[in-house]
Amino acid sequence: MSERTTVRSVTYDLLRTLELTTVFGNPGSTEQPFLQDFPEDFTYVLALQEASVIAMADSFAQVTGRPALVNLHSSAGMGNAVGNLVAAYHGNTPLIVTSGQQHRELVIGEPYLGNREATELPKPWVKWSYEPARAEDVPEAFMRAYAMALQPPAGPVYLSVPMDDWKRPLAGFTRVRTVSDRVAPDEGRLRAFADRISASSRPALVFGPEVDRAGGWDGAVALAERLRAAVYGAPLLDRASFPEDHPLFGGPLGMSVKTIGDRLTGHDLVIVIGGEVFRYYPYVPGPYLPDGTELLQITGNPDVAASARVGDSLLGDTKLAIDLLLDMVEDGRTRAAPDPMPRPRTLPPTPNMPLTPPEVYATLNKVRPPDAVIVNESTSTMAQQIEWLPTTRSGSFFATASGGIGWGTPAAVGVALGDRDRGVERPVVGLIGDGSFQYSVQAIYTAAQHRLPIVYVVMRNQEYSILKSFAVLEETPGVPGLDLPGLDIASVARGFGCRAVGVETAEDLEQEFKTALTAGTTTVVVVSTQPQSAML
């Protein structure tokens, strides 16, 4: 039987048709029958740890706008990857995650490297999990996985494939299908929402990450301006969906029930489009909405709609909904202008030593190219980044959609690879905390090997600042393991093949950042900073 008529060859032909020709992975023995004689028209992106594999594929799929293919090693590799699979699930990223299963004749005896109850391990963080009953079903399983991953709400799916399936004879697979990735909202219900919005005297808009993912940035700006409504940043956002330097932008909404309720005081109607109601953490009790305030939610995700604690929901693609609302709502120019976001923007006349996070972000704002994209995993300083280094363009801010860390460093790699895949040249800036950097530091090897134009700015405050902030809030003194002395981040980065420098002053940071932009490779800039209490 020729290679062209096996399960493997038929599957590769299907993957070509679906434009799934980039494989993110870390090869294992049970995956080698799939990877053998790797085709020249495919690209294999090697990451040195499976959590990084997932994060790279996650951001790559977000940037390219199409599903990404992941290949992991049996249950061991899948186990390593689950942490960042949570982020892909919450971020509605279409991933097809595969791993190898032991030989079918051995599985019944629980062999070494057998993937025990393979379809259970990635749950509940996948939309669909499957191991084909027959080798002949492998291509069709990929076809269904593609459809499941892409259809709204998009998300990761999982396939376990026995290693002996790939060489089985198969004549071909011809049932290639296309699927829709948008669902239109109910226009009747949307018009009722529009009437309530038009009748509002002081509305507030909250644009969640679904808006930017759907391509609704420009429509969001137009809707806010038409309504003359205040716009708040969604809690714990992983994509920015509104320019944070816009006069209508009122700043981040907050994270706790009490903080969000307080921020919304004075608004008679809150319209949440493309986000949860709300992402709460930590628990600080208070009213979910102020007295006299109502809430409307538009989301493409039925789980997000069902889990809302307050308000009336409407299901549908957020871009389509915004575009329709623009023609349905009345012009709000007679409304009083909302209060602008407080922007003190004052820095000390003499720079601090070490620098504060606002000083770092203010310096980067001076030298950041307009088209730069930011990947942020400095969790204690994200509020300061919004103030001093605002996101002003669609598709130019990414953060983890879960509460774990270790996503940002490899995600910057995926963004840069996604840009390269679609022929776009723009700097990628990874803003990473020194604690976060350690979780997936291996990812910078992939960045260096591909000579990606990434500038990592690692803020070295020698502690887990976000956890110390939570310890104060939760009144839990004496928590161990929150200090991080003795890390030589620059030396580690050089060991992985990156250019690396350490800086102490704003002037040195500015100069080294400019140099990194033209270095032609990945640079890690380590900045000594003061710890920052998170705004919770």
Side-chain angles (χ1 to χ4, degrees):
M1 183 64 62
S2 71
E3 169 64 16
R4 297 183 63 83
T5 56
T6 63
V7 168
R8 179 185 176 278
S9 64
V10 170
T11 301
Y12 270 103
D13 285 342
L14 174 62
L15 296 176
R16 289 185 181 94
T17 301
L18 299 177
E19 298 185 40
L20 296 172
T21 58
T22 299
V23 181
F24 293 85
N26 184 277
S29 56
T30 52
E31 291 68 43
Q32 288 182 357
F34 168 65
L35 297 172
Q36 70 174 27
D37 299 323
F38 197 67
E40 292 184 358
D41 59 329
F42 279 63
T43 300
Y44 188 87
V45 178
L46 170 66
L48 301 185
Q49 210 269 0
E50 289 90 352
S52 292
V53 171
I54 291 284
M56 290 177 192
D58 182 344
S59 55
F60 179 88
Q62 292 191 55
V63 167
T64 61
R66 63 179 192 270
L69 181 60
V70 176
N71 187 240
L72 304 175
H73 180 40
S74 190
S75 55
M78 189 68 244
N80 287 338
V82 166
N84 279 334
L85 190 64
V86 176
Y89 181 84
H90 282 298
N92 297 126
T93 304
L95 300 181
I96 300 173
V97 182
T98 65
S99 70
Q101 173 63 289
Q102 255 284 11
H103 197 287
R104 285 182 183 269
E105 291 188 9
L106 294 178
V107 168
I108 195 171
E110 302 291 351
Y112 186 67
L113 295 181
N115 200 348
R116 189 172 186 177
E117 298 186 26
T119 60
E120 296 300 313
L121 179 57
K123 293 179 181 179
W125 307 116
V126 292
K127 292 178 61 180
W128 183 58
S129 186
Y130 186 68
E131 184 174 282
R134 307 178 306 158
E136 295 83 355
D137 295 332
V138 169
E140 187 160 4
F142 272 88
M143 185 68 253
R144 181 174 174 185
Y146 177 85
M148 290 287 291
L150 193 58
Q151 290 181 130
V157 297
Y158 174 71
L159 293 177
S160 169
V161 184
M163 59 189 299
D164 55 314
D165 283 6
W166 297 108
K167 295 183 179 180
R168 292 287 186 91
L170 188 64
F173 179 77
T174 59
R175 297 187 301 280
V176 178
R177 306 166 53 234
T178 61
V179 295
S180 172
D181 61 356
R182 292 184 188 271
V183 175
D186 179 334
E187 284 202 38
R189 185 167 176 81
L190 186 64
R191 190 168 295 279
F193 275 30
D195 291 343
R196 293 173 66 180
I197 294 169
S198 296
S200 169
S201 60
R202 193 162 183 258
L205 285 163
V206 181
F207 293 115
E210 289 178 44
V211 174
D212 196 48
R213 287 199 294 266
W217 175 287
D218 292 340
V221 174
L223 182 62
E225 293 175 348
R226 180 167 179 78
L227 295 175
R228 207 179 191 189
V231 179
Y232 296 100
L236 300 165
L237 80 170
D238 51 280
R239 293 279 292 265
S241 294
F242 192 83
E244 293 165 347
D245 61 348
H246 194 284
L248 292 173
F249 185 66
L253 194 55
M255 296 165 58
S256 69
V257 173
K258 183 179 188 307
T259 302
I260 293 173
D262 290 346
R263 290 285 278 140
L264 295 175
T265 298
H267 295 289
D268 61 336
L269 183 66
V270 179
I271 308 104
V272 181
I273 303 179
E276 299 174 33
V277 179
F278 287 101
R279 285 181 176 175
Y280 295 117
Y281 193 85
Y283 175 65
V284 181
Y288 286 100
L289 286 176
D291 289 340
T293 302
E294 297 181 344
L295 186 143
L296 303 175
Q297 179 194 32
I298 301 173
T299 174
N301 191 330
D303 289 339
V304 167
S307 64
R309 307 298 295 272
V310 292
D312 300 324
S313 296
L314 168 65
L315 288 174
D317 179 84
T318 53
K319 182 182 186 304
L320 296 179
I322 290 171
D323 291 345
L324 289 169
L325 278 176
L326 282 168
D327 291 329
M328 293 179 178
V329 297
E330 295 179 4
D331 193 298
R333 70 183 66 187
T334 59
R335 292 191 180 100
D339 298 330
M341 174 183 174
R343 291 185 183 274
R345 303 191 68 80
T346 56
L347 295 174
T350 302
N352 287 284
M353 187 64 70
L355 296 171
T356 63
E359 289 173 308
V360 171
Y361 287 140
T363 300
L364 294 177
N365 196 45
K366 289 169 54 180
V367 294
R368 169 185 58 169
D371 61 342
V373 57
I374 288 175
V375 180
N376 190 319
E377 196 169 277
S378 175
T379 52
S380 63
T381 70
M382 294 185 76
Q384 287 72 35
Q385 187 229 305
I386 291 173
E387 180 180 357
W388 293 95
L389 187 63
T391 300
T392 60
R393 295 189 179 197
S394 175
S396 63
F397 175 85
F398 298 86
T400 180
S402 75
I405 58 178
W407 183 89
T409 303
V413 176
V415 170
L417 287 170
D419 281 349
R420 182 175 289 179
D421 179 86
R422 63 196 183 107
V424 172
E425 294 184 9
R426 58 177 179 167
V428 178
V429 182
L431 305 174
I432 314 293
D434 52 357
S436 292
F437 198 65
Q438 309 314 309
Y439 273 69
S440 50
V441 66
Q442 311 93 335
I444 64 176
Y445 170 83
T446 306
Q449 289 295 307
H450 289 265
R451 299 188 67 81
L452 298 175
I454 302 173
V455 184
Y456 289 105
V457 179
V458 181
M459 285 188 270
R460 180 78 176 104
N461 60 21
Q462 303 190 60
E463 67 177 31
Y464 291 120
S465 287
I466 186 68
L467 296 181
K468 287 192 175 184
S469 297
F470 282 131
V472 172
L473 179 70
E474 296 166 357
E475 300 179 355
T476 54
V479 175
L482 302 187
D483 293 307
L484 297 170
L487 289 174
D488 188 348
I489 293 171
S491 294
V492 170
R494 294 186 194 103
F496 280 112
C498 296
R499 178 180 174 272
V501 293
V503 300
E504 301 286 339
T505 68
E507 291 78 8
D508 287 345
L509 173 59
E510 182 175 341
Q511 182 56 53
E512 291 296 346
F513 187 86
K514 290 179 179 177
T515 301
L517 291 175
T518 59
T521 189
T522 302
T523 299
V524 176
V525 181
V526 185
V527 189
S528 296
T529 58
Q530 296 183 22
Q532 174 71 56
S533 296
M535 298 177 65
L536 305 175

